[in-house]
């Protein structure tokens, strides 16, 4: 299966500004620290190992990662962060799933609701859009002369992946959420690095917005990204190659 990939087009624009990069590292750092709480050893803590892989795929320096792990025994050791998931709608009938990590549910709910409302969207009930998405592990690997399609497919099958999609510039390997850690570790042991490594909500189909609504939707994504408690935002909008999704 092959097709055109705009993965690099979008990824190259993520975190261009120092402020955006700082936000990304802050969010990843909190995720690592929470995952490390109680067990700071990634060899025996698969959740932490997955968080570290996600951080490395986003070019987070190893020193930063280690500091975040140490924080788990410090100021975050007594904090009670929990994951909350919100579902809602953006402009043009777009669907949104917003993952948060928070120590104050009221604050986070208010911030998410207010941001959606100000940008032409609305918060929905649990389950209102999640049925449009599939929860899958995704590993994105850059195509190279040293790693041909047959080799990566063989590795993926042996590791227990569900599917391999070959695009213009990358391989996308899909797994079940339960198999993600094992597949990731298998490929890492083969010396493979990732452009993306995460378990995420992937839309079953995408919608197209007109140019005006695309700009409104991008503004919404940017405002959600600015919220400290928001970790990830998943949506079903087919963004143009030149759209600057932060």
């Amino acid at each position: 299966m092959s097709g055109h990939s705009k993965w690099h087009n979008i990824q190259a624009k993520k975190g261009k500004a120092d402020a955006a990069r700082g936000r990304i590292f802050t969010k990843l750092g909190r995720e690592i620290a929470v995952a490390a709480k109680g067990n700071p050893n990634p060899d025996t803590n698969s959740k932490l190992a997955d968080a570290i892989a996600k951080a490395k795929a986003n070019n987070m320096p190893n020193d930063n990662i280690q500091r975040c792990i140490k924080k788990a025994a410090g100021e975050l050791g007594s904090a009670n962060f929990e994951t909350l998931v919100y579902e809602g709608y953006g402009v043009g009938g777009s669907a949104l799933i917003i993952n948060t990590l928070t120590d104050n549910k009221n604050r986070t709910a208010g911030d998410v609701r207010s941001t959606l409302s100000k940008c032409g969207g609305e918060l929905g009930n649990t389950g209102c859009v999640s049925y449009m998405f599939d929860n899958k592990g995704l590993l994105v690997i850059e195509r190279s002369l040293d790693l041909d399609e047959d080799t990566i497919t063989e590795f993926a099958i042996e590791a227990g992946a569900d599917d391999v999609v070959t695009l213009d510039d990358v391989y996308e390997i899909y797994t079940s959420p339960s198999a993600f850690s094992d597949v990731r570790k298998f490929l890492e042991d083969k010396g493979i690095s990732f452009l993306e490594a995460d378990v995420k909500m992937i839309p079953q189909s995408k919608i197209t917005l007109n140019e005006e609504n695309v700009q409104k939707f991008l503004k919404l994504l940017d405002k959600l990204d600015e919220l400290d408690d928001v970790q990830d935002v998943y949506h079903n909008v087919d963004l143009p190659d030149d759209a600057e999704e932060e």
Side-chain angles (χ1 to χ4, degrees):
M1 182 175 179
S2 62
H4 173 67
S5 172
K6 61 181 180 182
W7 195 91
H8 275 310
N9 302 42
I10 295 173
Q11 201 65 4
K13 292 167 184 170
K14 285 187 176 180
K16 273 188 176 179
D18 288 343
R21 187 177 295 109
R23 287 200 303 271
I24 291 171
F25 287 175
T26 297
K27 294 173 190 291
L28 290 169
R30 182 185 288 187
E31 193 170 329
I32 289 170
V34 170
K37 187 176 179 181
N39 181 2
N41 184 356
D43 292 335
T44 56
N45 182 346
S46 62
K47 185 176 179 181
L48 174 58
D50 291 343
I52 291 172
K54 180 178 177 180
K56 287 182 176 179
N58 280 276
N59 299 314
M60 189 173 183
N62 193 58
D63 286 349
N64 294 41
I65 292 172
Q66 294 306 315
R67 281 198 298 271
C68 293
I69 293 174
K70 290 177 182 177
K71 279 185 179 180
E75 64 261 33
L76 284 182
S78 59
N80 292 313
F81 283 91
E82 61 179 312
T83 299
L84 295 175
V85 180
Y86 298 93
E87 300 181 34
Y89 305 92
V91 294
S94 51
L96 292 157
I97 297 178
I98 303 162
N99 280 357
T100 68
L101 199 57
T102 180
D103 59 351
N104 187 322
K105 292 189 287 186
N106 291 335
R107 178 193 66 221
T108 303
D111 287 347
V112 170
R113 182 181 292 107
S114 174
T115 300
L116 286 170
S117 179
K118 289 177 180 177
C119 296
E122 64 177 333
L123 195 61
N125 297 322
T126 300
C128 67
V129 300
S130 56
Y131 69 92
M132 305 178 190
F133 295 76
D134 293 319
N135 193 26
K136 294 183 179 181
L138 173 62
L139 297 158
V140 181
I141 302 165
E142 187 170 15
R143 291 187 65 175
S144 68
L145 295 175
D146 298 329
L147 195 63
D148 60 44
E149 185 175 356
D150 289 342
T151 300
I152 198 66
T153 300
E154 181 182 339
F155 284 167
I157 291 173
E158 187 177 351
D162 292 337
D163 193 19
V164 178
V165 178
T166 300
L167 301 175
D168 289 346
D169 47 7
V170 298
Y171 301 111
E172 294 180 341
I173 297 178
Y174 291 90
T175 78
S176 66
S178 60
F180 175 77
S181 294
D182 289 341
V183 174
R184 173 192 53 73
K185 188 176 187 306
F186 181 95
L187 294 173
E188 283 179 343
D189 290 345
K190 295 291 185 181
I192 295 173
S193 58
F194 309 110
L195 295 173
E196 184 173 355
D198 199 9
V199 176
K200 58 198 306 179
M201 300 297 288
I202 297 174
Q204 296 165 1
S205 61
K206 293 187 175 183
I207 65 170
T208 302
L209 301 178
N210 62 38
E211 185 175 348
E212 180 182 355
N213 279 342
V214 164
Q215 295 309 312
K216 289 180 180 179
F217 188 74
L218 289 171
K219 181 180 178 181
L220 169 60
L221 293 181
D222 190 48
K223 293 299 182 184
L224 286 170
D225 185 58
E226 289 176 3
L227 297 179
D228 291 340
D229 297 335
V230 171
Q231 293 293 115
D232 301 289
V233 179
Y234 307 118
H235 62 80
N236 67 340
V237 176
D238 188 11
L239 293 172
D241 287 0
D242 58 351
E244 295 205 12
E245 181 185 2
E246 295 298 337

